[in-house]
Amino acid sequence: MILFFRFDIVSTLDKLIDYVISSDGEELLNDIADQIVNEADSLGRETLLYISQVLSALSIRDERGAAKALQLLVEAMQDSAENPGADGEYRAGVRNILNSVWSNLSETLPEPTPAMQRTLKLALLLGTRGASSLTSSAVSNNAAADTANTIAKFIPLARKLSSEPKVTQKASETVARLGERIVSRGLRAAFGLPPPTFESI
């Protein structure tokens, strides 16, 4: 005989919040704050490096190739204007040019960093399956209503967290630590110094 258990995420989070705001959960709250600071700092740093790599990869190094691609695009547009019956050919030509540009871009762009990949996975999880996958087992045809109902279940938990002085103080400390890291990295980069190393509190 197989037993199926329904997992109630809201009651589980409620118990976790009760533990975190208790005196026994101080260490867990500190660990969560440290992880948020480290991941946000890592994501910010890696995103800036990735953007600079993308800009470097997209810079035109081959002027002849760029001029030829622009000339082909202009010729395709002129042919379409001179010969209105060639609209289908024009669209096919533009489609081929866009496909060629996209394939060149996908080969040129660098691979996203590990922190960016983790954030993307989390965003996809929350965006595509997040709230809608947490709804009750009753099947509804209105996904927006299901998502709104699920989000409404989390509002009391958010209020509970935001009304706890220990959590608000830790959130303020976390924001301050992130601000310090941003300023430190910015100043060191502006003066050409090596990036700073940070220790967890």
Side-chain angles (χ1 to χ4, degrees):
M1 181 175 157
I2 298 175
L3 297 175
F4 291 99
F5 296 99
R6 283 188 50 203
F7 182 71
D8 186 6
I9 188 79
V10 176
S11 65
T12 304
L13 284 176
D14 192 28
K15 288 182 173 40
L16 178 63
I17 290 170
D18 287 339
Y19 177 74
V20 165
I21 62 179
S22 71
S23 59
D24 295 336
E26 185 76 30
E27 187 175 340
L28 178 61
L29 185 61
N30 290 336
D31 288 344
I32 291 171
D34 287 343
Q35 287 302 314
I36 289 172
V37 168
N38 290 335
E39 282 299 313
D41 181 49
S42 173
L43 178 64
R45 182 184 70 248
E46 290 180 10
T47 301
L48 287 176
L49 290 174
Y50 182 79
I51 289 171
S52 69
Q53 290 173 353
V54 166
L55 292 176
S56 173
L58 293 179
S59 63
I60 297 176
R61 293 187 185 95
D62 181 13
E63 289 81 12
R64 288 183 184 174
K68 185 176 180 182
L70 186 60
Q71 182 182 6
L72 287 173
L73 184 60
V74 169
E75 287 175 3
M77 291 171 68
Q78 286 175 346
D79 287 345
S80 173
E82 292 171 2
N83 187 3
D87 193 37
E89 294 174 14
Y90 167 72
R91 287 184 182 164
V94 169
R95 196 175 307 121
N96 289 339
I97 291 172
L98 290 177
N99 286 338
S100 172
V101 167
W102 178 251
S103 66
N104 287 338
L105 276 179
S106 60
E107 293 171 4
T108 304
L109 293 178
E111 189 71 23
T113 64
M116 292 173 68
Q117 291 176 356
R118 285 191 303 269
T119 304
L120 181 61
K121 286 179 185 176
L122 181 62
L124 288 174
L125 177 69
L126 293 175
T128 58
R129 293 181 291 175
S132 60
S133 68
L134 301 174
T135 57
S136 63
S137 59
V139 177
S140 170
N141 291 334
N142 191 347
D146 289 343
T147 303
N149 289 337
T150 302
I151 291 172
K153 292 178 185 177
F154 289 101
I155 290 174
L157 298 177
R159 286 185 185 147
K160 185 177 187 178
L161 270 176
S162 64
S163 65
E164 180 62 36
K166 184 191 304 187
V167 174
T168 55
Q169 179 184 0
K170 188 57 71 176
S172 297
E173 290 173 10
T174 301
V175 170
R177 287 173 57 196
L178 276 172
E180 289 172 0
R181 287 187 179 203
I182 290 170
V183 169
S184 176
R185 287 190 188 283
L187 288 174
R188 293 179 72 87
F191 290 109
L193 298 172
T197 55
F198 298 101
E199 294 179 10
S200 296
I201 293 178

